[in-house]
């Protein structure tokens, strides 16, 4: 399925989205440079971007806590993963201050974004419905969709094999939208 995306809710944060895209498009070079170079990675911000950062000292974010290795909750109740590593690098370079708000599930993350309690979701997928309250960047990673069964079920080579069968899909996940749109004969339960 389509890749995970960075989700930002406010149109006033579009420049921030573009800034993150610049980092993600060159992150391998920058991370390698950071490990080998003696000088830190730096970027040049416009006056408008500096003013925006000054006027927005904290950017609150949340995410699903079970999307390893991209985003997950540690035993210390802190968020970790590949997406969080990117965010820490952006924080270091731009001096933006990101604060994690723990959510119990994906539905709560989405509701917090709709209420504007948070401004950022690190790993979200574009759906037409979400554009009513969120702005999306280009994807910064891709991950395949998987079907998990017990050992007594044979390999599923085509999702049409699940037509007429009931499957569990987490509420609010992109896979629910994808399956409903592309495989409407599969019965879904939250």
């Amino acid at each position: 399925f389509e890749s995970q995306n960075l989700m930002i809710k406010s149109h006033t944060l579009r420049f921030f989205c573009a800034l993150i895209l610049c980092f993600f498009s060159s992150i391998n070079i920058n991370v390698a440079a950071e490990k080998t170079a003696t000088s830190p990675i730096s970027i040049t911000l416009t006056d408008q971007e500096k003013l925006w950062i000054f006027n927005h000292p904290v950017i609150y974010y949340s995410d699903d806590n079970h999307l390893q290795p991209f985003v997950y909750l540690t035993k210390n109740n802190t968020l970790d993963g590949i997406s969080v590593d990117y965010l820490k690098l952006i924080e270091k370079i731009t001096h933006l201050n990101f604060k994690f708000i723990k959510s119990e599930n994906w539905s709560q993350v989405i509701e917090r974004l709709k209420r504007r309690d948070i401004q950022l979701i690190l790993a979200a997928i574009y759906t037409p419905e979400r554009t009513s309250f969120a702005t999306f960047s280009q994807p910064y990673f891709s991950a395949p969709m998987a079907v998990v069964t017990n050992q007594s079920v044979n390999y599923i080579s085509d999702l049409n094999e699940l037509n007429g069968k009931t499957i569990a899909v987490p509420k609010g996940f992109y896979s629910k939208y994808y399956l409903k749109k592309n495989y409407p004969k599969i019965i879904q339960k939250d």
Side-chain angles (χ1 to χ4, degrees), residues 80-146:
D80 205 353
I82 295 168
S83 298
V84 177
D85 290 343
Y86 282 152
L87 195 63
K88 288 177 183 175
L89 182 59
I90 292 167
E91 188 171 44
K92 180 179 176 182
I93 295 168
T94 63
H95 305 289
L96 287 163
N97 183 14
F98 297 99
K99 183 174 180 186
F100 173 63
I101 305 296
K102 183 181 176 190
S103 295
E104 296 303 317
N105 54 49
W106 183 249
S107 295
Q108 188 178 41
V109 172
I110 295 295
E111 284 307 311
R112 285 187 166 158
L113 187 67
K114 286 179 178 178
R115 286 192 317 261
R116 300 179 184 251
D117 297 337
I118 60 172
Q119 292 79 43
L120 181 66
I121 297 176
L122 302 180
I125 298 173
Y126 169 88
T127 65
E129 186 270 334
R130 292 177 182 166
T131 61
S132 67
F133 58 88
T135 302
F136 291 83
S137 72
Q138 293 297 314
Y140 65 93
F141 66 84
S142 295
M145 187 183 309

Side-chain angles (χ1 to χ4, degrees), residues 143-166:
M145 187 183 309
V147 176
V148 180
T149 67
N150 65 36
Q151 293 179 347
S152 66
V153 176
N154 291 331
Y155 176 74
I156 298 170
S157 62
D158 185 319
L159 288 176
N160 285 311
E161 294 176 34
L162 298 174
N163 287 344
K165 295 190 166 75
T166 302

Side-chain angles (χ1 to χ4, degrees), residues 6-8 13-27 43 59 86-87 90-91 94 96 98 120-122 137-138 140:
L6 182 69
M7 186 188 296
I8 300 177
L13 296 180
R14 282 189 192 273
F15 95 89
F16 179 66
C17 203
L19 180 66
I20 289 174
L21 282 175
C22 291
F23 286 123
F24 291 145
S25 66
S26 61
I27 198 73
I43 62 165
I59 298 171
Y86 282 152
L87 195 63
I90 292 167
E91 188 171 44
T94 63
L96 287 163
F98 297 99
L120 181 66
I121 297 176
L122 302 180
S137 72
Q138 293 297 314
Y140 65 93

Side-chain angles (χ1 to χ4, degrees), residues 15 31 51-52 57 62 76-77 99 111 123 125 139 150 176:
F15 95 89
V31 171
L51 181 61
W52 188 92
S62 190
N76 298 330
N77 271 340
K99 183 174 180 186
E111 284 307 311
I125 298 173
N150 65 36
K176 196 165 197 62

